Amino acid sequence: MLSYLTRWVSRGAFQALKGTSSWPQLVKTPHIGNQTLAAAPLPFTGGSPGVRQARALDQERLLQIDWDDGSCSLYPFTWLRDNCQCPHCTLQSAQARSLLFTNLDVHTGMDQVQLMDNKVSITWPDQHSSDFDPDWLKKRCFSSEARQALQEELFLNEREYWDSSLQIPTADFEEVLHDDKAALAWLEALRRIGIVYLRGAPAEQGQVARLSQRIGYLRLTFYGHTWQVQDKAMANNVAYTSGELSLHTDYPALHHPPGVQFLHCVRQADQGGESEVVDGFHMAEQLRREDPEAFNILSSIRVDFTDSGADFCDFSVQSKNHIIDVDSEGRVTRINYNNTTRDSVLDVPLHQVQPFYSSLKAFVELLSRPENVCTYRMEPGDLVTFDNWRLMHGRKSYLSRGQYSRHLEGAYLDWDEVMSRLRILRKAVRGDC
């Protein structure tokens, strides 16, 4: 069912955490608008697209290209001149634009367009010339279908929703470290589903740092490059106790919270300490359906979060974040919620205080429904990787035994670094651009 998980890994590399090879039925992410990304055709598939005709529409200032497959693409003159691929306009070694914007004529015309050596060749009024590969142009077609397909290729925005029946995709730690196909499947599942379980890591500190090197580098925060989740005296974070942790995202006290979190089990408690996760994006969409007013309030009011203390260094951070972040199309992009660091400062007019509390209560009650919570228990050597912008995670209380108590090592990365490695691995494994 989730073919992208198993397409490039050997049999047995991925398995369901709960001991069965079958995958749960997952809900596709709803999309705003008429076109579903999964259904949008790629601009072209296989080989180089053929150009039947290219002609300038001078009045509209558009280049029209008629393709051999019968489709048609339109490109603005200004965009073509801005993206000239010649050595004078593009630094080839960096694939970066050299043309200064101050030197770009945003009202340029076009003197001539012709097909030469399977390229679209353009001569501009100043007699500068630009040559474009057909496949480069078709991939950047301005049709809504092509744009959505390219955005999906670049960012993997489509998600698989899940509930308590989720069987967490699982991989072998060492295979992910050393096999590109396994690493790609891991990162694609992390993006699509939001959580992947790795087994077989040594039950000692340092494994989250090893895993981060597979991607790039860790994100440094006030708690250090890595941090030890243990029951500590005079704890500077509620996670460093043996008590229950309610469902939350990490670090909403930062305006840009870490995107991905690693947690590695070095030692588990004899009693208690089970982990819980909820699909925050799924819950936000469910809230939008069940209580639109609550959704609108939580996605429009900016809530104050705070965190202060001393660890890697002393700190006093303050942020204002929506509980539910949405983009310009209304798609949920991030959940920012941690009840422990939600500030007593509530910067809203008096008449909005009670509606805010009622809306947050509705969301938290939705998160806490048993049918929405996936529970699992980590054992020494297990390492869980998850999307901190999407998943809410928690922990049941556990029995503390001093220095021999439960011990997890954690670390953060940002999605920019993770997606960078995913694209590089995809190109290496599949030859994708």
Side-chain angles (χ1 to χ4, degrees), residues 38 45 84 91 110 135 140 171 173 180 187 223 264 288 328 339:
T45 55
C84 175
L91 178 61
M110 184 180 290
D135 54 357
R140 291 159 178 79
F173 177 77
D180 282 354
L187 294 182
Y223 292 96
H264 172 230
R288 193 200 310 249
S328 60
N339 197 54

Side-chain angles (χ1 to χ4, degrees), residues 283-350:
M283 295 302 96
E285 292 296 347
Q286 194 167 330
L287 183 70
R288 193 200 310 249
R289 293 193 301 271
E290 295 182 6
D291 194 339
E293 182 180 1
F295 180 91
N296 290 336
I297 288 173
L298 296 183
S299 60
S300 60
I301 289 179
R302 295 206 303 162
V303 177
D304 290 79
F305 292 91
T306 186
D307 194 20
S308 61
D311 201 302
F312 184 79
C313 64
D314 51 350
F315 56 91
S316 178
V317 293
Q318 198 79 26
S319 74
K320 300 178 82 66
N321 278 313
H322 302 120
I323 301 293
I324 302 173
D325 272 339
V326 297
D327 63 15
S328 60
E329 296 179 346
R331 181 171 51 200
V332 177
T333 57
R334 195 171 79 194
I335 305 296
N336 305 286
Y337 179 66
N338 191 323
N339 197 54
T340 66
T341 58
R342 183 170 53 82
D343 203 349
S344 57
V345 174
L346 184 56
D347 184 23
V348 299
L350 184 62

Side-chain angles (χ1 to χ4, degrees), residues 169-235:
T170 302
D172 180 80
F173 177 77
E174 293 294 338
E175 188 170 356
V176 164
L177 286 184
H178 299 107
D179 183 85
D180 282 354
K181 293 179 181 179
L184 175 60
W186 163 50
L187 294 182
E188 287 185 328
L190 180 62
R191 184 66 170 176
R192 298 293 196 193
I193 298 177
I195 182 170
V196 179
Y197 208 82
L198 305 182
R199 282 195 167 130
E204 58 189 33
Q205 288 180 222
Q207 306 315 306
V208 291
R210 285 182 67 201
L211 185 61
S212 74
Q213 292 171 2
R214 191 64 168 103
I215 294 174
Y217 50 86
L218 292 171
R219 170 159 174 187
L220 175 63
T221 71
F222 291 112
Y223 292 96
H225 289 93
T226 64
W227 23 272
Q228 311 309 314
V229 184
Q230 297 170 286
D231 186 16
K232 302 176 183 179
M234 301 297 293

Side-chain angles (χ1 to χ4, degrees), residues 93-394:
S93 59
Q95 286 298 293
R97 185 181 290 106
S98 301
L99 176 64
L100 301 179
F101 201 83
T102 52
N103 294 335
L104 175 67
D105 179 2
V106 299
H107 302 292
T108 185
M110 184 180 290
D111 265 15
Q112 187 181 42
V113 58
Q114 53 188 329
L115 300 179
M116 297 180 60
D117 300 324
N118 199 34
K119 291 183 182 293
V120 178
S121 182
I122 298 172
T123 303
W124 303 102
D126 62 1
Q127 297 310 296
H128 185 84
S129 62
S130 303
D131 294 329
F132 296 97
D133 289 323
D135 54 357
W136 188 94
L137 284 171
K138 193 159 192 182
K139 189 170 187 177
R140 291 159 178 79
C141 174
F142 283 89
S143 71
S144 60
E145 294 84 2
R147 287 189 291 111
Q148 289 181 6
L150 183 55
Q151 291 302 300
E152 178 61 20
E153 178 185 330
L154 292 173
F155 297 105
L156 296 183
N157 290 318
E158 185 176 285
R159 302 294 201 274
E160 303 282 352
Y161 286 170
W162 46 266
D163 55 24
S164 62
S165 66
L166 173 70
Q167 295 170 4
I168 302 175
T170 302
D172 180 80
F173 177 77
E174 293 294 338
E175 188 170 356
V176 164
L177 286 184
H178 299 107
D179 183 85
D180 282 354
K181 293 179 181 179
L184 175 60
W186 163 50
L187 294 182
E188 287 185 328
L190 180 62
R191 184 66 170 176
R192 298 293 196 193
I193 298 177
I195 182 170
V196 179
Y197 208 82
L198 305 182
R199 282 195 167 130
E204 58 189 33
Q205 288 180 222
Q207 306 315 306
V208 291
R210 285 182 67 201
L211 185 61
S212 74
Q213 292 171 2
R214 191 64 168 103
I215 294 174
Y217 50 86
L218 292 171
R219 170 159 174 187
L220 175 63
T221 71
F222 291 112
Y223 292 96
H225 289 93
T226 64
W227 23 272
Q228 311 309 314
V229 184
Q230 297 170 286
D231 186 16
K232 302 176 183 179
M234 301 297 293
N236 64 351
N237 190 295
V238 295
Y240 300 162
T241 70
S242 61
E244 178 182 358
L245 293 181
S246 61
L247 293 163
H248 65 282
T249 61
D250 272 19
Y251 244 143
L254 299 177
H255 284 107
H256 188 77
V260 172
Q261 183 169 165
F262 293 167
L263 282 173
H264 172 230
C265 182
V266 178
R267 188 168 50 250
Q268 183 57 279
D270 293 334
Q271 181 178 337
E274 292 83 1
S275 301
E276 299 176 323
V277 288
V278 170
D279 187 345
F281 285 8
H282 188 189
M283 295 302 96
E285 292 296 347
Q286 194 167 330
L287 183 70
R288 193 200 310 249
R289 293 193 301 271
E290 295 182 6
D291 194 339
E293 182 180 1
F295 180 91
N296 290 336
I297 288 173
L298 296 183
S299 60
S300 60
I301 289 179
R302 295 206 303 162
V303 177
D304 290 79
F305 292 91
T306 186
D307 194 20
S308 61
D311 201 302
F312 184 79
C313 64
D314 51 350
F315 56 91
S316 178
V317 293
Q318 198 79 26
S319 74
K320 300 178 82 66
N321 278 313
H322 302 120
I323 301 293
I324 302 173
D325 272 339
V326 297
D327 63 15
S328 60
E329 296 179 346
R331 181 171 51 200
V332 177
T333 57
R334 195 171 79 194
I335 305 296
N336 305 286
Y337 179 66
N338 191 323
N339 197 54
T340 66
T341 58
R342 183 170 53 82
D343 203 349
S344 57
V345 174
L346 184 56
D347 184 23
V348 299
L350 184 62
H351 70 276
Q352 290 185 358
V353 172
Q354 188 56 46
F356 165 73
Y357 274 102
S358 297
S359 300
L360 185 55
K361 185 71 169 179
F363 188 45
V364 171
E365 288 182 344
L366 181 60
L367 298 172
S368 305
R369 292 178 190 172
E371 64 267 27
N372 294 327
V373 181
C374 177
T375 302
Y376 60 95
R377 179 180 173 83
M378 300 185 73
E379 298 298 339
D382 293 346
L383 197 156
V384 66
T385 63
F386 61 90
D387 183 346
N388 185 58
W389 285 6
R390 173 181 173 183
L391 266 64
M392 322 267 297
H393 65 286

